Amino acid sequence: MNDVLRKLGLEGPLMGTMTNRSAIRCHGENLEVFSPVEGRCMGKIVQASVEDFGRVAEMAADAFLEWRLVPAPKRGEVVRRIAQAVRSHKKDLAVLISMEMGKILPEAEGEVQEMIDIADFSVGLSRTLYGLTMHSERPGHRMYEQWHPLGPVGVITAFNFPLAVWSWNAMVAMAAGDTVIWKPSSKTPLTALAISTIAGRVLEEESLPEGILNVVIGGRSTVGEQLAADRRLPLISATGSVGMGRHVGRTVASRLGRALLELGGNNGVIVTPSADLDLTIRAILFGAVGTAGQRCTTIRRVIVHRRIFPRFRDLLMDAYRQVVIGHPLDEGVLMGPLVDVDAVGKMRRALAVLEQQGGRILYGGQVLRGGIYDAGTYVTPCICEAEHDTPIVLEETFAPILYLICYESLEEAIHFHNAVPQGLSSAIFTNDLRESELFLSHRGSDCGIANVNVGTSGAEIGGAFGGEKDTGGGREAGSDAWKWYMRRQTTTINWSGELPLAQGIRFGDR
Ligand code: UN1
């Protein structure tokens, strides 16, 4: 591990801010970063104070004035070089992610790949920031809309995707001509400093001004509050819990800023009698147990037709019994630890509440002990039986707990599916065209993502990512999500020599 930290430039006492590649002296409290894998301290960081944040915000605002002048395709060229640099550090970054938050190495490598993909996407984007042209109702007039860089953008991210979520924002924002101030989760600051060093080196080699990509590591109540309230930041993109999003959303709204919120999910899948059960079980296993149930896209509810319920339940329990739980860097391990002991406590409490509310644990949910397990962060993934409206089922517990719910008709299944406050990702497993079309129709899933015969997690970057209701309504990553990061301007040009008014208004005509 020390070797990886050295290769990524993370030795010695670390500062909690970076502007491009330069660390700024910080004056906040010390932060010790513990790995959930063996419970050891991985690094120490002096966090940013409110004043330190202010200095970084000023630099980001100044850098924006220059960065926005670089032609978009040239900005794309810088992003392309960052993607290249990430490719050459893929393995080291993945090991760091695994050790810092516990996901298994293949998933951590997938996360780094997700950054490479969005960077490549943003290179193309830098030449395709298209605006529409429209026909004017007035003779001799031309109308079109154009997209300008927006400003310095604040990005708040969670521990579970310590690299990818920032990159969906930062790479797109860079192509758009914005600068970025990133507040990573205090559980995963090392990954943030590592990628900032890699990207910052490219910015330095390109002789770009300090302050294009910035990190500020600090508490929610200090740095987080300042970031959300700072009028210099026209857009705040926040990923995390519904509670955090509500708070940030309120603060940003009170200054009439733009908030892009990607919050909790409570993702359900419907399994109908025509489903290919082998494929379904494999998809659900990845969706529910992958990242130890700590993705916002994790499958949390499976709504199964009564006729196939017993068979489905038994097959799924068999699959869960095969899951190897252990060191996330070891081959063959499918599930690493939860992010910390606190997360284990929350899982245990949710299971106790479920039982009080009439639900039943069918498999798993134990805290493991002995050897590496003594870190206290390893659990067995859990399958439960519940009603669709059992109160705890309506909440997102960020842990590998899966609720099985029984249904009779597809209309009822869709009702059960949509009857939760969150609306991120969803899926149906069926080989019946009518069932899948109903699920995808306006009478079907109410989520931002709706899949057929594919689980709810593991989305590709090409699509817009985000969800409805308590998930916050934001869209990040591909498609036209870039529009959040730019300022739209509608333009009318009169080349006629006359002054006809729109709507046929005559005003003081002689
Ligand atoms: C998240 O958990 O916040 O679709 C993001 C997925 C990943 C991203 C998840 N591409 O599961």
Side-chain angles (χ1 to χ4, degrees):
M1 192 61 226
N2 287 343
D3 194 36
V4 168
L5 291 176
R6 188 179 44 75
K7 278 202 264 175
L8 292 171
L10 296 176
E11 280 176 315
L14 298 163
M15 285 298 149
T17 59
M18 276 185 90
T19 62
N20 294 1
R21 206 178 148 209
S22 313
I24 291 186
R25 226 183 120 63
C26 285
H27 304 83
E29 286 173 16
N30 288 331
L31 175 71
E32 282 192 306
V33 186
F34 285 94
S35 166
V37 178
E38 286 157 347
R40 290 209 201 106
C41 179
M42 293 174 74
K44 290 191 180 118
I45 297 174
V46 185
Q47 295 185 98
S49 64
V50 168
E51 291 72 30
D52 301 330
F53 167 80
R55 285 176 62 204
V56 175
E58 199 174 312
M59 288 180 81
D62 288 347
F64 169 69
L65 299 179
E66 292 186 50
W67 179 240
R68 65 179 179 168
L69 302 180
V70 176
K74 297 268 182 273
R75 299 195 296 255
E77 177 60 18
V78 178
V79 174
R80 192 185 65 77
R81 288 205 52 207
I82 292 175
Q84 282 306 107
V86 173
R87 279 181 172 90
S88 59
H89 287 91
K90 186 171 179 182
K91 185 70 191 275
D92 292 332
L93 279 170
V95 170
L96 176 61
I97 291 171
S98 285
M99 292 303 290
E100 195 173 28
M101 59 67 68
K103 69 172 69 171
I104 59 171
L105 190 61
E107 288 194 72
E109 284 174 336
E111 171 158 7
V112 182
Q113 186 59 44
E114 203 161 335
M115 163 149 192
I116 294 168
D117 292 344
I118 194 69
D120 285 355
F121 177 93
S122 301
V123 178
L125 185 63
S126 71
R127 289 186 184 268
T128 53
L129 299 166
Y130 299 134
L132 296 170
T133 65
M134 53 288 286
H135 291 266
S136 169
E137 65 191 56
R138 288 167 281 184
H141 283 57
R142 183 163 74 82
M143 281 181 76
Y144 72 104
E145 62 185 22
Q146 54 180 345
W147 295 87
H148 290 309
L150 183 67
V153 170
V155 178
I156 298 171
T157 60
F159 75 85
N160 63 333
F161 275 82
L163 177 68
V165 173
W166 165 77
S167 72
W168 297 345
N169 287 281
M171 297 300 99
V172 171
M174 278 188 80
D178 302 337
T179 56
V180 178
I181 306 179
W182 178 18
K183 183 203 166 309
S185 161
S186 300
K187 295 176 186 174
T188 52
L190 296 176
T191 302
L193 292 178
I195 188 61
S196 300
T197 308
I198 292 167
R201 195 173 295 132
V202 173
L203 298 175
E204 200 176 80
E205 283 164 13
E206 294 281 337
S207 308
L208 288 163
E210 288 287 322
I212 293 179
L213 290 179
N214 311 280
V215 186
V216 184
I217 296 160
R220 195 177 267 196
S221 57
T222 51
V223 168
E225 286 294 328
Q226 292 298 312
L227 185 91
D230 197 315
R231 298 184 71 89
R232 287 169 290 193
L233 310 179
L235 169 68
I236 301 295
S237 170
T239 302
S241 69
V242 173
M244 177 280 296
R246 252 189 241 292
H247 185 73
V248 168
R250 252 187 234 123
T251 307
V252 176
S254 71
R255 62 176 174 92
L256 301 181
R258 200 183 280 183
L260 194 174
L261 301 176
E262 201 268 278
L263 312 174
N266 189 351
N267 314 294
V269 306
I270 296 174
V271 183
T272 78
S274 73
D276 172 340
L277 276 194
D278 179 49
L279 178 150
T280 305
I281 296 286
R282 283 189 288 138
I284 292 177
L285 191 68
F286 174 68
V289 172
T291 325
Q294 300 168 112
R295 290 191 188 215
C296 58
T297 50
T298 290
I299 300 178
R300 310 211 174 274
R301 300 174 297 139
V302 187
I303 304 159
V304 189
H305 194 275
R306 182 171 300 284
R307 210 162 66 229
I308 57 167
F309 191 93
R311 181 142 172 268
F312 171 85
R313 179 193 56 208
D314 294 349
L315 286 172
L316 190 67
M317 277 164 61
D318 278 350
Y320 266 57
R321 283 189 196 99
Q322 318 295 319
V323 173
V324 180
I325 302 153
H327 197 298
L329 300 181
D330 285 354
E331 224 176 287
V333 168
L334 283 190
M335 198 175 112
L338 297 195
V339 69
D340 52 22
V341 176
D342 194 35
V344 174
K346 286 190 180 133
M347 176 173 176
R348 296 292 306 152
R349 279 196 292 283
L351 291 175
V353 170
L354 174 81
E355 287 186 310
Q356 279 161 21
Q357 293 176 347
R360 218 155 54 89
I361 298 173
L362 302 177
Y363 177 83
Q366 295 93 5
V367 182
L368 297 168
R369 289 288 165 201
I372 187 182
Y373 294 154
D374 279 340
T377 46
Y378 294 82
V379 296
T380 43
C382 186
I383 305 176
C384 308
E385 209 175 322
E387 299 297 322
H388 80 278
D389 55 358
T390 304
I392 192 76
V393 173
L394 306 182
E395 288 176 30
E396 178 192 46
T397 303
F398 223 54
I401 301 176
L402 184 67
Y403 302 112
L404 304 189
I405 297 156
C406 197
Y407 81 87
E408 303 273 358
S409 73
L410 188 54
E411 280 72 16
E412 182 186 50
I414 291 173
H415 166 69
F416 287 175
H417 176 273
N418 290 347
V420 294
Q422 311 83 351
L424 179 56
S425 189
S426 61
I428 189 167
F429 286 85
T430 179
N431 279 333
D432 182 319
L433 180 74
R434 288 182 178 164
E435 289 179 339
S436 67
E437 288 296 320
L438 176 63
F439 182 74
L440 299 177
S441 78
H442 46 282
R443 285 197 280 141
S445 161
D446 62 359
C447 291
I449 298 170
N451 296 335
V452 177
N453 294 336
V454 178
T456 56
S457 65
E460 300 177 21
I461 57 90
F465 183 91
E468 305 301 333
K469 303 192 290 184
D470 276 6
T471 303
R475 291 297 186 278
E476 296 171 319
S479 184
D480 64 354
W482 60 270
K483 291 179 176 174
W484 287 79
Y485 303 81
M486 299 199 84
R487 175 164 68 79
R488 187 196 303 242
Q489 189 167 68
T490 303
T491 296
T492 307
I493 299 159
N494 175 5
W495 54 277
S496 71
E498 307 291 325
L499 196 61
L501 298 178
Q503 297 91 41
I505 293 174
R506 303 182 72 85
F507 194 79
D509 288 350
R510 271 159 285 145

